[in-house]
């Protein structure tokens, strides 16, 4: 039986890239506004910042204000396979614990208050929560990729409603984030196989970006259609459109009142408004007037050039990626046989994780040499000025960031024994 894993590969790549994030030396310096070059191109404002290791933004310290998790203690503080963590307005933390399939609430002092959930497919049960997101009024969205639904939880842990993300046989919607007004930014990806006699088997990917509130039909923002890609099958598993692990695809996020896509080469943030979203016609995109038109949804309102350095790709970088993934010699050989059929990148990625907050902050981590481990981040503000690189900050080695905003970043640290702790840092 042939299984399809193409949709899961970007998520896998992102998780493994997180283990490779690294830092580089930097000079502290003046404000970003004085360093940026602003120009106009065909009505689109382009903001160019200098290299991130120059004085593009003010350097800040990361102060740890909360740590949750222990090797011995109350069961609620024993964490395993944390997949999501968000900070609430009152400073409390909500954690998705993959080991128990529970969602756990902690107050601003790190004291456990309530847990909900268990393994299963019934109401209030979870199988694999892959993302938590803050919604209106400190309610929380739990995106369960295995159960194909979003569970809306109130601040006290009550299940308010469950929303199916795979409606009428359409491809499931993936939760990307939440806008300031409470609408959800979601994405639907569809794969169409093209099997023509005498030609290699190929596949086309159609991606629709939508706004949704879980009640009314989703509103179409943009549709993109890829060029035909070869279908690679290894041991019965389809690896079509699998990105090279060190050439990740663009990342889309919500931040305040806009959505962004972050590109690697060139290293830019493309800022888009959400005005003009239209009803999605046809759940599968067959009757979608935007389908097949990569430009549907409009051009970005503003483009921020992040000015990242370009580091030539070397085979040693791939070996470092294998090390971070814990691959055996046999697994490395199998993976290399697949990568030989993909286009190797000319340069390393310019950045790693990209996180957006409902307050309009965007946190972007550097991606320097994978052999080092400290993570440097740039914090952008998507305010009325449309995007400013405000601060640079260095976070601890091995820190896997899960959410950010309001001058805080939340993530998980795993020590050499695999013990997980959720940490909250704030800029100072």
């Amino acid at each position: 039986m042939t299984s399809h894993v193409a949709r899961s590969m970007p998520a896998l790549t992102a998780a493994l890239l997180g283990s490779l994030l690294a830092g580089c030396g930097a000079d502290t310096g003046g404000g970003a506004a004085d360093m940026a070059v602003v120009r106009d191109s065909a009505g689109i404002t382009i903001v160019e910042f200098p290299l991130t290791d120059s004085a593009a933004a003010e350097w800040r310290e990361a102060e740890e204000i909360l740590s949750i998790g222990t090797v011995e203690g109350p069961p609620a503080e024993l964490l395993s396979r944390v997949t999501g963590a968000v900070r609430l307005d009152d400073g409390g933390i909500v954690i998705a614990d993959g080991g128990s399939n529970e969602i756990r609430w902690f107050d601003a002092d790190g004291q456990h208050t309530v847990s909900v959930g268990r393994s299963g497919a019934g109401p209030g049960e979870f199988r694999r929560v892959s993302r938590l997101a803050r919604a209106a009024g400190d309610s929380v969205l739990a995106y369960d990729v295995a159960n194909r639904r979003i569970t809306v939880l109130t601040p006290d842990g009550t299940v308010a409603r469950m929303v199916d993300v795979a409606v009428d046989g359409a491809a499931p919607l993936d939760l990307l984030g939440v806008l300031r007004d409470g609408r959800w930014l979601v994405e639907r990806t569809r794969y169409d196989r093209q099997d023509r006699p005498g030609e290699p088997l190929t596949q086309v990917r159609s991606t629709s970006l939508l706004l949704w509130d879980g009640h009314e039909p989703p509103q179409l923002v943009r549709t993109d259609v890829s060029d035909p890609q070869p279908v690679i099958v290894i041991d019965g598993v389809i690896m079509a459109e699998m990105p090279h692990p060190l050439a990740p695809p663009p990342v889309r996020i919500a931040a305040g009142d806009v959505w962004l896509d972050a590109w690697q080469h060139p290293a830019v943030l493309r800022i888009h408004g959400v005005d003009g979203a239209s009803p999605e016609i046809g759940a599968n995109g067959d009757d979608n007037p935007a389908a097949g038109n990569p430009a549907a949804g409009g051009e970005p309102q503003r483009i921020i050039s992040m000015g990242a350095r370009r580091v030539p790709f070397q085979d040693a970088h791939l070996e470092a990626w294998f090390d971070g993934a814990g691959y055996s010699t046999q697994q490395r050989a199998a993976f290399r046989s697949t990568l030989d059929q993909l286009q190797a990148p000319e340069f390393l990625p310019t950045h790693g994780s990209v996180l957006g907050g409902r307050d309009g902050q965007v946190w972007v981590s550097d991606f320097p040499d994978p052999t080092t481990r400290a993570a440097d981040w740039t914090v952008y503000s998507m305010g009325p000025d449309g995007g400013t690189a405000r601060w640079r900050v260095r976070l601890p080695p091995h820190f896997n960031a899960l959410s950010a905003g309001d001058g805080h970043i939340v993530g998980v640290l795993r020590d050499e024994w695999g013990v997980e702790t959720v940490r909250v840092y704030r800029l100072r």
Side-chain angles (χ1 to χ4, degrees), residues 20 28 31 49 69 82 107 113 129 135 152 185 197 234-235 241 259 278 283 309 324 326 369 374 392 394:
L20 301 179
T28 58
F49 289 100
V82 172
D107 64 21
T113 58
V129 174
V152 183
L185 185 71
I234 297 181
D235 295 332
E241 288 230 77
W259 69 272
S278 59
R309 63 159 58 94
D369 192 328
R392 292 276 288 163
R394 175 163 295 176

Side-chain angles (χ1 to χ4, degrees), residues 206-260:
S206 302
T207 304
S208 297
L209 192 70
L210 307 116
L211 292 176
W212 198 27
D213 62 2
H215 292 290
E216 301 296 326
Q219 300 289 301
L220 179 66
V221 175
R222 181 184 177 91
T223 292
D224 294 281
V225 181
S226 74
D227 294 329
Q229 300 290 327
V231 174
I232 304 169
V233 181
I234 297 181
D235 295 332
V237 177
I238 295 177
M239 309 297 282
E241 288 230 77
M242 186 191 76
H244 192 286
L246 295 179
V251 176
R252 288 171 166 173
I253 63 167
D257 302 314
V258 300
W259 69 272
L260 304 90

